[in-house]
Amino acid sequence: STRKESSAASDVYKRQYTTSVTITDLLGESTAQLYVPILPIDEPVEWEVYVPESYDPAVPAGLLVYISPMDNGGIPDNWKPLMSKKNLIWIAANHSGNQVAAGRRMVHAVLATAVINRNYRLDGKRVFISGFSGGGRVASSVATEYPHIFRGAIYNCGVDFWDTESPKQMKRILRNRYVFITGSKDFNRRDTGRVFRKYEKAGVVQT
């Protein structure tokens, strides 16, 4: 197995669990220092993880990093069958809702990939980010800031357009895939449509 075996009851053998780790443990002290203005390097960050029962280390899984507008990052029950069908692992930070500074939430999302990489084999071409409402807005910032990590995004009832004329990694953005979700009762509906059209105008065809 490629999983770390700390004990017979190790979390990585569970389908759904909560885990916490500091940025120092994840990245090492020297790299962690780069994040000091945003996140204390010795402060544990807590994540909710869901691993489909079908997970097989011989078949690297995709990853869906989710940003919730609420304090809890647990996966909704009706998403679980899709995770299994598409061979996707779910991870979302707790205590990373709309009341938390956007920069901190972005760091949580990027660190989530390192959390999963410690114990599971991932397909780097199938790492995606998503979020709902305010979480969708933060997800849109992460997706266009780190398009080399996140190969696609799902913006659910909340999305922002990049705040520069042309992002540094525009070529990568153009290769990735983006889904915009809204509904008739979504107060972000007009804004979502506006940003969607801006993506198209910028040449992002896989939307």
Side-chain angles (χ1 to χ4, degrees):
S1 170
T2 59
R3 302 177 181 182
K4 292 184 178 179
E5 298 181 5
S6 57
S7 69
S10 176
D11 282 342
V12 298
Y13 290 93
K14 301 174 184 177
R15 288 185 61 193
Q16 186 169 351
Y17 60 91
T18 304
T19 188
S20 62
V21 64
T22 68
I23 190 170
T24 301
D25 290 335
L26 276 177
L27 305 179
E29 188 169 350
S30 59
T31 303
Q33 290 290 339
L34 299 173
Y35 295 86
V36 168
I38 301 173
L39 186 68
I41 62 175
D42 293 320
E43 177 184 298
V45 181
E46 188 177 87
W47 284 275
E48 298 295 332
V49 178
Y50 177 80
V51 182
E53 199 170 56
S54 57
Y55 171 75
D56 180 354
V59 183
L63 179 66
L64 181 65
V65 177
Y66 185 78
I67 304 176
S68 175
M70 312 298 289
D71 265 353
N72 189 285
I75 182 173
D77 286 339
N78 58 359
W79 283 58
K80 294 177 182 178
L82 181 65
M83 297 295 106
S84 181
K85 181 179 179 181
K86 298 296 183 181
N87 189 27
L88 288 167
I89 294 173
W90 163 290
I91 184 168
N94 287 330
H95 315 299
S96 193
N98 287 348
Q99 77 284 358
V100 176
R104 188 181 178 96
R105 299 170 83 188
M106 290 177 69
V107 171
H108 288 167
V110 174
L111 291 179
T113 61
V115 173
I116 297 301
N117 264 320
R118 294 197 310 166
N119 299 307
Y120 303 97
R121 289 191 65 204
L122 290 180
D123 178 355
K125 295 180 180 179
R126 300 183 63 241
V127 176
F128 309 108
I129 189 162
S130 182
F132 175 65
S133 190
R137 292 183 181 274
V138 177
S140 63
S141 295
V142 175
T144 53
E145 186 73 21
Y146 302 94
H148 58 295
I149 298 176
F150 299 99
R151 302 302 182 90
I154 304 170
Y155 308 138
N156 194 350
C157 299
V159 60
D160 288 328
F161 194 62
W162 49 79
D163 58 4
T164 59
E165 186 173 338
S166 182
K168 295 178 182 178
Q169 301 193 63
M170 192 66 197
K171 289 183 178 179
R172 288 184 180 270
I173 291 172
L174 294 175
R175 292 199 296 264
N176 292 343
R177 295 179 291 165
Y178 305 92
V179 176
F180 296 73
I181 298 175
T182 185
S184 60
K185 296 183 180 180
D186 173 23
F187 66 88
N188 286 312
R189 182 180 177 88
R190 286 188 177 181
D191 209 29
T192 297
R194 178 184 60 81
V195 177
F196 173 75
R197 289 187 292 273
K198 281 192 170 186
Y199 265 62
E200 288 191 313
K201 187 175 181 180
V204 185
V205 296
Q206 297 191 96
T207 57

